[in-house]
């Protein structure tokens, strides 16, 4: 995840109330369950010392939210009387989490909200296609419509029928070429890493034949069409699953690059001390984190979010003036520093890295 999107949160004054909760709305009594869940989480925050003005701000956010459809999670981060983060998560967290602390709990967002994969979705029939393009920030929807007649083959035989069949095939091919041209334009425009091709079998096959794209980029999916009666939910779930797979592949590529650079003593470091040094120098391109391991570590921080160190002297040395320093959780401190220095974060509980944290550097130190 590009943590710079959370810069405003990282630079806000604390302390912070952070909440990750199951916000699923998939049963008849979901509203009642959600209310009971929030009451319990609110009580936990109060027991941890969260003031009433912060709890009241969270109350307002919780009550104002539209319930999601089906399984979902939610993260809320508040400071003072303001809610700084109110974000629906694509999946519920493994367990509800509350924390009232000096620093915001930002690291789980890197797992729940990985960098969006630019992609194009095509739902084709013989007359054209509906196209959805996503560049990582904005989704655009458009339609491509080609020739409308003839589109259906007539029954029977004879020369006239053969000519009609040929005209239908020519029309479908013409329309497929028109769709393919627009798909290729969108792929270039959004720098798509995935094209999902759905719709009528014959139409999507014709479009794929006309596409001049790498086979690895295009995936065909059954189960939807422009006409009614198809399972759009099933198709949508398939698209989301394919996007998630590409995200996982991207993260795996980052971890592989990290290990390669580390192995040749290149643009990578690991361990609390060396990663903290790189963060203080704004020299981290991507943090590579094992959350379970890093959560057990403590580091030194100051009022400046980018100043973090494995020892107190390291933080004070880079301060331009005397500052107060304190010890905080390393996962909170490192992700806060990543946010203010524009670094990315890749997190996974299967990543093997010294003391739970490593970094791909922007330049050699």
């Amino acid at each position: 995840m590009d943590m710079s999107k959370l810069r405003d949160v990282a630079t806000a004054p604390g302390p912070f109330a952070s909440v990750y909760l199951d916000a699923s709305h998939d049963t008849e009594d979901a509203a009642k369950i959600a209310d009971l869940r929030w009451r319990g989480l609110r009580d936990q925050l109060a027991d941890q010392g969260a003031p009433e003005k912060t709890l009241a701000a969270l109350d307002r956010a919780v009550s104002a939210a539209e319930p999601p459809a089906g399984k979902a999670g939610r993260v809320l981060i508040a400071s003072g009387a303001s809610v700084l983060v109110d974000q629906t998560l694509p999946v519920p967290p493994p367990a509800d989490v509350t924390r009232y602390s000096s620093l915001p709990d930002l690291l789980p967002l890197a797992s729940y909200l990985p960098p969006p994969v630019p992609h194009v979705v095509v739902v084709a029939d013989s007359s054209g296609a509906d196209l959805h393009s996503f560049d990582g920030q904005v989704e655009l929807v458009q339609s491509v419509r080609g020739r409308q007649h003839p589109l259906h083959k007539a029954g029977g035989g004879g020369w006239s029928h053969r000519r009609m069949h040929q005209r239908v095939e020519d029309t479908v091919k013409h329309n497929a070429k028109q769709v393919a041209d627009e798909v290729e334009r969108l792929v270039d425009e959004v720098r798509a890493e995935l094209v999902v091709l759905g719709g009528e079998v014959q139409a999507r096959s014709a479009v794929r034949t006309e596409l001049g794209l790498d086979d690895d980029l295009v995936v065909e999916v059954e189960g939807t069409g422009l006409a009614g009666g198809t399972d759009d939910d099933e198709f949508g779930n398939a698209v989301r699953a394919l996007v998630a797979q590409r995200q996982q592949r991207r993260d795996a590529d980052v971890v592989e690059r990290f290990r390669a650079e580390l192995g040749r003593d290149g643009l990578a470091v690991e361990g609390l001390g060396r990663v903290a040094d790189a963060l203080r120098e704004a020299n981290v391109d991507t943090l590579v984190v094992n959350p379970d391991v890093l959560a057990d570590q403590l580091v030194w921080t100051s009022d400046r979010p980018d100043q973090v160190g494995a020892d107190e002297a390291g933080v004070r040395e880079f301060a331009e003036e005397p500052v107060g320093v304190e010890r905080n959780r390393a996962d909170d401190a490192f992700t806060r520093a990543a946010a203010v220095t524009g670094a990315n974060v890749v997190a996974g509980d299967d990543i093997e890295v010294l003391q739970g944290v490593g970094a791909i550097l922007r330049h050699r130190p």
Side-chain angles (χ1 to χ4, degrees), residues 126-304:
S126 57
S127 68
D130 287 344
L131 307 178
H132 301 248
S133 60
F134 182 68
D135 64 2
Q137 295 182 328
V138 179
E139 180 180 14
L140 297 178
V141 180
Q142 66 187 81
S143 295
V144 175
R145 289 291 171 264
R147 298 173 183 168
Q148 301 299 305
H149 301 287
L151 285 174
H152 303 288
K153 297 179 180 179
W159 174 249
S160 63
H161 288 98
R162 286 197 295 273
R163 290 187 62 190
M164 176 61 73
H165 284 204
Q166 185 61 52
R167 289 178 62 194
V168 169
E169 291 173 359
D170 289 345
T171 299
V172 171
K173 182 175 181 179
H174 173 274
N175 293 347
K177 181 64 167 64
Q178 192 170 338
V179 170
D181 288 346
E182 183 61 14
V183 171
E184 290 177 4
R185 187 192 70 80
L186 289 173
V187 167
D188 289 339
E189 182 177 290
V190 305
R191 299 182 179 180
E193 300 175 26
L194 172 69
V195 175
V196 182
L197 182 55
E200 297 176 358
V201 175
Q202 182 181 1
R204 72 169 185 262
S205 178
V207 170
R208 181 151 196 175
T209 299
E210 298 293 337
L211 283 172
L213 301 173
D214 293 340
D215 288 342
D216 185 57
L217 189 67
V218 184
V219 180
E220 290 190 52
V221 174
E222 301 279 353
T224 194
L226 301 183
T230 53
D231 194 342
D232 289 339
D233 288 341
E234 182 178 344
F235 181 72
N237 290 336
V239 171
R240 285 187 286 273
L242 288 169
V243 170
Q245 289 174 11
R246 295 294 166 124
Q247 290 170 337
Q248 292 168 2
R249 183 188 301 181
R250 179 193 284 178
D251 286 353
D253 289 344
V254 171
V255 174
E256 183 177 344
R257 178 190 166 199
F258 164 74
R259 288 175 176 153
E261 292 290 348
L262 198 63
R264 55 174 167 257
D265 196 23
L267 290 172
V269 295
E270 64 178 340
L272 293 180
R274 298 190 70 185
V275 173
D277 291 345
L279 283 168
R280 288 200 307 273
E281 297 166 359
N283 189 23
V284 173
D285 175 84
T286 304
L287 279 180
V288 179
V289 177
N290 183 316
D292 291 340
V293 176
L294 187 60
D296 293 331
Q297 314 294 322
L298 295 175
V299 293
W300 291 90
T301 64
S302 76
D303 293 338
R304 289 182 52 183

Side-chain angles (χ1 to χ4, degrees), residues 317-330:
E317 179 184 352
F318 276 76
E320 297 176 357
E321 58 186 42
V323 293
V325 298
E326 63 180 5
R327 299 192 80 184
N328 278 296
R329 289 174 54 130

Side-chain angles (χ1 to χ4, degrees), residues 88-158:
T88 299
L89 305 175
V91 294
D96 294 338
V97 175
T98 62
R99 190 190 304 165
Y100 186 66
S101 54
S102 299
L103 305 183
D105 183 11
L106 299 177
L107 181 56
L109 282 173
S111 299
Y112 295 124
L113 299 175
V117 172
H119 60 276
V120 175
V121 179
V122 185
V123 183
D125 67 8
S126 57
S127 68
D130 287 344
L131 307 178
H132 301 248
S133 60
F134 182 68
D135 64 2
Q137 295 182 328
V138 179
E139 180 180 14
L140 297 178
V141 180
Q142 66 187 81
S143 295
V144 175
R145 289 291 171 264
R147 298 173 183 168
Q148 301 299 305
H149 301 287
L151 285 174
H152 303 288
K153 297 179 180 179

Side-chain angles (χ1 to χ4, degrees), residues 6 8 53-54 57 75 101 114 125 148 162 254 292 312 349:
L6 299 172
D8 289 346
K53 63 181 179 181
T54 301
V75 54
S101 54
D125 67 8
Q148 301 299 305
R162 286 197 295 273
V254 171
D292 291 340
E312 182 178 359
D349 56 13

Side-chain angles (χ1 to χ4, degrees), residues 19-26 34 37-38 41 61-62 65-77 85-97 108-109 111-113:
V19 185
Y20 289 83
L21 70 152
D22 186 336
S24 300
H25 198 85
D26 56 351
R37 174 179 285 112
W38 171 241
L41 298 176
V62 169
E66 290 290 332
K71 293 287 186 182
R74 191 174 179 191
V75 54
L76 295 157
I77 299 177
V85 176
D86 184 354
Q87 175 72 53
T88 299
L89 305 175
V91 294
D96 294 338
V97 175
L109 282 173
S111 299
Y112 295 124
L113 299 175

